[in-house]
Amino acid sequence: MVVGFDVHHGGVGSKSPSVGAMTCTTNASYGRYYSCVSYSRSREELSSKMADDLGRCLNAYRENNSGLLPDRIVFYRDGVGEGQLKFVVLSELEALKTKLVAVYSAHGLPEPMLSHIICTKRINTRVFLVDRAGGYQNPFPGTIVDKEVTLPERWDFFLIGPAARQGTVSPTNYNVIFDQNKLDADKIQRLTFKLCHLYYNWSGSVAVPAVCQYAHKLAYLTGLALGTEHEPNERLTHLLYFL
């Protein structure tokens, strides 16, 4: 199961709570999705609500797969600033792991293998391709940079997802903070790039995996349209109504 999570915050001076949106795949071909939202007014509350949302996603997956729960989970977390990284590792990740243990132990199953990856789009890093004439151009979609400019204390890489028709393409930074699936760098990078092709609103690839883009759209729509602590109708959770 692949999961994406993003947060929408109100404008400067806004008293409205933050909206966290989570989307997940519910079938083997990654063509069906489940989504849910939650509201929080603090980081600690956000971690608790995120774990609860993961439990809802697991229930939706089980309902769509004859009572089976996923053996592997890849979690993409979007909307994390540089100063929030420590909090994500110490609070959010631990809350997710605790939730997984509770859900799987209740069904008499061993804990699933979890990979947690942080996506960062708003960065200043730019990557260029030197052509045969010595000029510079945008790299092709799928270009990976995982050495020289990455941090030695992290397992991170830069990925060029979309093709830029105008201007300079901006890479997305991925930081693997937890990996029980024991996937090597090549497999995680290939999986991430392939997931960038599954966004229904665009025929090519997007900057982040589709589950993150869906979560971003859902969080923005909920925070903009609902505004108050009301969740979308339960009948919409299996539909991509927010596109």
Side-chain angles (χ1 to χ4, degrees), residues 51-81:
D52 293 338
D53 289 345
L54 181 60
R56 295 165 66 180
C57 288
L58 291 171
N59 289 333
Y61 184 95
R62 188 165 57 88
E63 291 174 359
N64 284 271
N65 292 273
S66 303
L68 299 177
L69 288 170
D71 296 325
R72 299 173 182 266
I73 299 175
V74 181
F75 192 101
Y76 288 94
R77 171 70 160 94
D78 202 355
V80 177

Side-chain angles (χ1 to χ4, degrees), residues 2-235:
V2 181
V3 184
F5 185 85
D6 199 2
V7 182
H8 171 75
H9 302 286
V12 178
S14 174
K15 296 182 179 180
S16 59
S18 299
V19 181
M22 183 176 293
T23 60
C24 72
T25 58
T26 58
N27 65 342
S29 61
Y30 301 159
R32 300 182 64 183
Y33 295 87
Y34 171 83
S35 62
C36 57
V37 299
S38 58
Y39 296 85
S40 58
R41 296 185 178 274
S42 66
R43 289 185 178 182
E44 291 73 17
E45 187 179 4
L46 176 64
S47 300
S48 176
K49 293 292 184 65
M50 183 188 300
D52 293 338
D53 289 345
L54 181 60
R56 295 165 66 180
C57 288
L58 291 171
N59 289 333
Y61 184 95
R62 188 165 57 88
E63 291 174 359
N64 284 271
N65 292 273
S66 303
L68 299 177
L69 288 170
D71 296 325
R72 299 173 182 266
I73 299 175
V74 181
F75 192 101
Y76 288 94
R77 171 70 160 94
D78 202 355
V80 177
E82 190 68 26
Q84 299 174 310
L85 184 60
K86 183 177 181 180
F87 176 80
V88 172
V89 175
L90 297 179
S91 181
E92 292 184 7
L93 179 57
E94 292 302 317
L96 294 177
K97 291 163 64 177
T98 301
K99 188 66 176 183
L100 289 175
V101 171
V103 172
Y104 279 72
S105 60
H107 292 86
L109 298 173
E111 182 182 352
M113 291 177 283
L114 172 68
S115 295
H116 194 292
I117 305 172
I118 294 177
C119 316
T120 308
K121 299 188 296 292
R122 297 180 182 179
I123 57 177
N124 296 323
T125 304
R126 296 295 181 268
V127 180
F128 298 94
L129 175 66
V130 180
D131 56 27
R132 294 183 179 179
Y136 296 95
Q137 64 183 29
N138 283 322
F140 299 108
T143 299
I144 296 287
V145 179
D146 58 1
K147 59 183 179 179
E148 303 300 337
V149 296
T150 54
L151 297 176
E153 69 273 12
R154 298 182 183 177
W155 179 8
D156 64 334
F157 61 92
F158 295 92
L159 168 63
I160 304 293
R165 299 181 178 180
Q166 186 177 8
T168 303
V169 67
S170 178
T172 301
N173 178 256
Y174 295 89
N175 184 12
V176 184
I177 63 173
F178 187 75
D179 181 36
Q180 289 179 321
N181 286 297
K182 304 300 181 183
L183 300 175
D184 57 39
D186 183 66
K187 287 186 175 62
I188 286 185
Q189 292 163 1
R190 286 176 179 269
L191 173 64
T192 301
F193 180 55
K194 290 181 178 180
L195 290 173
C196 293
H197 289 77
L198 300 181
Y199 185 60
Y200 282 126
N201 262 11
W202 185 247
S203 59
S205 56
V206 292
V208 292
V211 286
C212 285
Q213 189 67 17
Y214 292 143
H216 171 77
K217 296 280 286 188
L218 176 57
Y220 179 76
L221 175 66
T222 304
L224 192 68
L226 297 183
T228 55
E229 299 187 31
H230 295 288
E231 296 187 13
N233 193 289
E234 184 68 22
R235 291 177 294 179

